[in-house]
Amino acid sequence: MQVVVLIILLIVGFTFIVKLTYHGLPGKIALSGVAAMFVAFSVDTAASQSKTQIASWLSSPEMMIDAAVFLTIDIAAQVAFCFLMARRLEKPLSRQLNAILETLLWFPGLLIFPTLLALLTETLFSFPGLDFETAGYLLASAVLLGFPLVAWFLKWLLPEDDIRLELLFLGSLLAAALGVAATVNGRTAAAGTNSVEWGALCAVILIFAIGCAAGMVLNKYLSDKKIKRI
């Protein structure tokens, strides 16, 4: 269960950054600023948590069902954004559809905030000798500066809007599938386990990251080559 939730949180953070690539610099800074402010004001909440309490939440089917509701809202908003943006890339939208698209563009999602809270909690656990407020402000600064930089780098690697849009769409579908798995956990005939194979998980994440990076670099190279030929 913990692995599934961790992967969902990673996907939520990744799709948030992908969506930032469709913003200009002011939009990137504004949404990253909202995320950074949430981190800064959540230090006391994160400091009051414990690993035992978090593990109890993750093993609760009722909690997972409630979280699945917010995940469904996020995914519905992401999918609607993908369809409207894909349509606008082909032809101009009507005033009503364009207003809906802009609203969805500025909608950061509901689960990005639990994701940031989980990141903050893990940061506080990882640096026990560091003052909580200092650690929170450092993480808030990293979010404020890091999110726009990563979004800019991703847009540089994938300058085509349609490819990034497809990446956002596929990431949302993967989060939906994992959300179903997290919801039914403990309600099937299969025996659950709380042990985490961290080595295998890190290996899978590393392979996925290397594959994504290689694909992005190759796509960038081929795109530049085609542009030079034209």
Side-chain angles (χ1 to χ4, degrees), residues 89-142:
L89 292 177
E90 296 180 357
K91 59 181 180 180
L93 296 176
S94 63
R95 181 177 300 179
Q96 293 80 5
L97 291 179
N98 194 64
I100 295 175
L101 178 60
E102 290 298 322
T103 302
L104 293 174
L105 178 63
W106 285 93
F107 176 63
L110 300 176
L111 287 185
I112 186 61
F113 300 108
T115 300
L116 292 172
L117 181 61
L119 178 61
L120 176 59
T121 304
E122 188 62 31
T123 301
L124 297 182
F125 286 155
S126 301
F127 301 96
L130 189 62
D131 181 69
F132 288 157
E133 290 189 359
T134 301
Y137 291 145
L138 289 176
L139 181 60
S141 301

Side-chain angles (χ1 to χ4, degrees), residues 1-6 51-61 64 182 185-186 190-198 201:
M1 171 58 74
Q2 294 182 9
V3 176
V4 175
V5 174
L6 176 60
K51 289 190 175 183
T52 303
Q53 185 179 19
I54 294 175
S56 176
W57 288 344
L58 294 179
S59 61
S60 172
M64 291 299 101
N185 183 72
T193 177
N194 290 327
S195 61
V196 180
E197 296 292 340
W198 291 108
L201 175 62

Side-chain angles (χ1 to χ4, degrees), residues 200-219:
L201 175 62
C202 293
V204 171
I205 294 176
L206 180 61
I207 293 173
F208 177 80
I210 293 174
C212 288
M216 292 176 183
V217 173
L218 180 61
N219 179 76

Side-chain angles (χ1 to χ4, degrees), residues 156 159 219-229:
W156 178 79
N219 179 76
K220 176 68 175 177
Y221 172 76
L222 295 177
S223 299
D224 292 342
K225 192 174 182 180
K226 290 180 180 179
I227 293 174
K228 290 180 180 179
R229 289 179 179 177

Side-chain angles (χ1 to χ4, degrees), residues 21-22 85 89 155 158-166:
T21 61
Y22 294 95
M85 179 61 74
L89 292 177
K155 189 173 183 179
L158 297 173
E160 299 86 354
D161 290 338
D162 54 343
I163 294 180
R164 298 198 313 276
L165 199 63
E166 183 176 357

